[in-house]
Amino acid sequence: MASPNTNQQKEGVVGRVLALSKVVKEKVLGISRLTKEIAQDDPRKVIHSLKVGLSISMVSLLYYYQPLYENFGLSAMWAVMTVVVVFEYTVGATLGKGLNRAIATFGAGALGVGAHYLASLAGTTGEPILIGTFVFVQAAIASFIRFFPKVKARYDYGMLIFILTFSLISVSGFRDDEVLEMAHKRLLTIVIGGSACVMISIFVCPVWASEEFHYSIANKLEILGDFLEAFVHEYFKISKEGESEDNKGDFKDKSFLEGYKKVLNSKSSDDSLANFARWEPGHGKFKFHHPWDLYLKIGAISRQCAYRMEALNAQLSSDTQGSFEVRCTIQELCSEMSLESSKALKELGSSIRTMTRPSSSDTHVASAKAAMKSLKSLLKSNSWKETNLLSLIPVVTVASLLIDIVEFTEKIADLVNDLATLTQFGTENTNQAPKPPQSPHCESGLKTDNLQLVILVEDSVLTTSESEKSNMV
Amino acid sequence: MASPNTNQQKEGVVGRVLALSKVVKEKVLGISRLTKEIAQDDPRKVIHSLKVGLSISMVSLLYYYQPLYENFGLSAMWAVMTVVVVFEYTVGATLGKGLNRAIATFGAGALGVGAHYLASLAGTTGEPILIGTFVFVQAAIASFIRFFPKVKARYDYGMLIFILTFSLISVSGFRDDEVLEMAHKRLLTIVIGGSACVMISIFVCPVWASEEFHYSIANKLEILGDFLEAFVHEYFKISKEGESEDNKGDFKDKSFLEGYKKVLNSKSSDDSLANFARWEPGHGKFKFHHPWDLYLKIGAISRQCAYRMEALNAQLSSDTQGSFEVRCTIQELCSEMSLESSKALKELGSSIRTMTRPSSSDTHVASAKAAMKSLKSLLKSNSWKETNLLSLIPVVTVASLLIDIVEFTEKIADLVNDLATLTQFGTENTNQAPKPPQSPHCESGLKTDNLQLVILVEDSVLTTSESEKSNMV
């Protein structure tokens, strides 16, 4: 007969087990939710995972298939290892790592074999000492070279493999006299593994770093444009005429007001994507020597813009909104400056995206500058009776930040024009033409739709490249 | 007899050889200059290179020394490989990689052995198919998990090694029935290699990521403080009283005006240093659970400050300097705001650096806020006869940016006070004491000297951690 005490104990145990199972269930649910999110955000990540599985399975054939195994024996291991280590998310990163690995293995293998022969001349006692010295000196020098900025940027992995191969070949040589064969097999299997990676990453649903970088820059400009539009709506509380009713403007604007934050810290992601893009062969719209430096410059100025937007955004949430009167007076011109800059930035972004010459961005920049000029003369005019400078501060600050942004927009427009000339963007719209003949209303509606889609897609692209950074470097 | 023609040819060849040798000489000189620069900038990089050489040589003993070799045989290779791959510049990065590698090898090894036994039950035809399937599924799932943000941040390398080990063990098992022994040897050699790295990186001139991170945050605050001081001098062209004659103020200021640029893009370096620091065991002044999150917050706000400084710096180089009159009127208060914020930031920086409670920063923040209040009431007063708003823009913008900076300084001061409480900073100076009894003049002179030294040293630290990022991730 069970006493009440043991019953209580049983209940306690059951309770704890239930609580534990609940925790486990929540964890599992959380993980599966995250999995679903990542997979839906960017299905290419799922495809990438399958590609990695495929490459490793393919290279494992070197083990399974008897005639191949007879050739390579245990060295087949190096092929598997190469695939695991070299396969990266984008083609450029994979190619960069693969080439680094192959060339470093070749160079270090040759030197290692040389070191082995040199050491073997020194007799049984001298050999390990000499080999040890070689390995020490080589590892120390190569490790130091890894600190050179240019080497670190592009050849860091190669230097690592150089140290690895040299040490392995020369040290193994102490036990195994067939060093040359070993070095040869190692190089061959690494080339096989590396080629398998490169082939699969290029020919099976490739993710080009060039495209990622290209679209991320276009996306940045569009994000900045969206911010300016949303800022005007929020700051001057205008309900813009001609906005379609079904546009849930307010909610959209709020998220657009945060977009620039992604741009603020985009430098390292830009740098690594540009580095990977440089490894990629010409493909599609991108030639081998695509002017990535121009993209980096556009990225740098868009960050400058984003810094100003950070200050603008702070003004939105500030308690002191400044003189309402002055705000109303400059409202029209400030709105025009922002909206024209916004249109110019979006146009420039979509011009990069579609690789067509920007048709109306110069007009928008010109309008923004004209508005800036008018604003300046309005401010210069003697019609200001307000003498309370404090209430002017927030308004004047906004005006000043917007003036900066107009200037940055002009710089970006110049850079995009340079890019269009250098890479011969399609000229379906004539350059520097006056406003296009279609109704601007219809055009802007169309653009907004496009943009929404684009933001959805690009959002994931940006997250990808951000996270990739640590993955690939 | 040589014809003039051949003579000319000879001269041409000689000329070309001379030109080539000149180019080579320049290259060599350039490289040796770079080497010298890097070595002088941060001698720890030289020491790091020697440490890598030492570790590899030490681990090579597994090959040279007969009794050891009998135990491990070819598996000794894994020890060398581990050292090359795991040894990183800071202790935290090395520890993180080493632990990731050891744990992943253990887990994947166990699973790989299991997969091998399971597959061997399926008979000769079924075995390779089953193993291939296991490898494919495992590689795909693990590759996908690498996209999870938390996994990517801390366990990316572990996942890579997991894929590698599982594939190697289960695939090799197909040819070699002693899988268990292989897995065991692999794990053991990796642990030996990893421990060698960790030991050497901890006990031979360690470079702690905790310290790097700690000092880089302190340095950031000091850089921001220097900027504000230099800005005041440059913008209001004040020759501050009490500045010693031998101080080549102008040149110093110019370089201080550029310092904030290092802070702008410091997010990724902060993130990776914080990540490495979390792997490090308690040592010296840092406990195991040092509040690195607070450091990250301070870093984030100092970037916000830097964004405003970017805008301030743009005002310096702008053509339109605004009304001289107004500038003179607000000069005193603006200078006080900047100088007090500057003092507070420098004090906070040096308080972090020395891990002592900030003694006077609260006073400085209070003075800056008082100046801000006075400025606001000055601006509010009706004494402004100037009605040309345009000429006010630059001046008012500067004032507004400085107001933002004072607010950020206050936030930073709060965070540093939190940090001081949490980590029990030394309390040699009483907290929130009124101005210290020493002559402030003497104190500030002393601080400037300290700072100059500190900037020289820290400059190299910052470059290190910046470049390290790609090295270590």
Side-chain angles (χ1 to χ4, degrees), chain A residues 183-203:
Chain A
H184 171 79
K185 270 189 188 165
R186 186 171 141 79
L187 182 62
L188 200 64
T189 44
I190 282 181
V191 169
I192 291 176
S195 325
C197 287
V198 170
M199 290 299 151
I200 289 184
S201 94
I202 291 184
F203 295 113

Side-chain angles (χ1 to χ4, degrees), chain A residues 336 340-341 344 360-373 406 409-410 413:
Chain A
E336 199 176 334
E340 290 294 329
S341 300
S360 56
S361 65
D362 287 343
T363 328
H364 292 308
V365 170
S367 312
K369 284 182 73 183
M372 181 172 88
K373 231 176 174 176
V406 169
T409 306
E410 197 188 357

Side-chain angles (χ1 to χ4, degrees), chain B residues 226-239:
Chain B
D226 286 332
F227 173 87
L228 286 177
E229 198 183 339
F231 175 79
V232 167
H233 286 225
E234 191 68 20
Y235 189 71
F236 296 113
K237 302 276 183 215
I238 324 166
S239 69

Side-chain angles (χ1 to χ4, degrees), chain A residues 170-215:
Chain A
S170 55
V171 169
S172 310
F174 183 63
R175 290 290 169 182
D176 183 357
D177 276 336
E178 289 171 352
V179 198
L180 202 61
E181 209 197 307
M182 182 172 42
H184 171 79
K185 270 189 188 165
R186 186 171 141 79
L187 182 62
L188 200 64
T189 44
I190 282 181
V191 169
I192 291 176
S195 325
C197 287
V198 170
M199 290 299 151
I200 289 184
S201 94
I202 291 184
F203 295 113
V204 184
C205 311
V207 178
W208 297 99
S210 325
E211 281 179 18
E212 297 281 290
F213 188 35
H214 178 85
Y215 290 128

Side-chain angles (χ1 to χ4, degrees), chain A residues 238-257:
Chain A
I238 324 165
S239 70
K240 220 179 88 190
E241 24 147 24
E243 195 165 32
S244 59
E245 286 300 306
D246 55 342
N247 235 346
K248 292 271 173 281
D250 207 46
F251 170 69
K252 202 183 68 185
D253 285 355
K254 283 278 194 290
S255 75
F256 282 176
L257 281 174

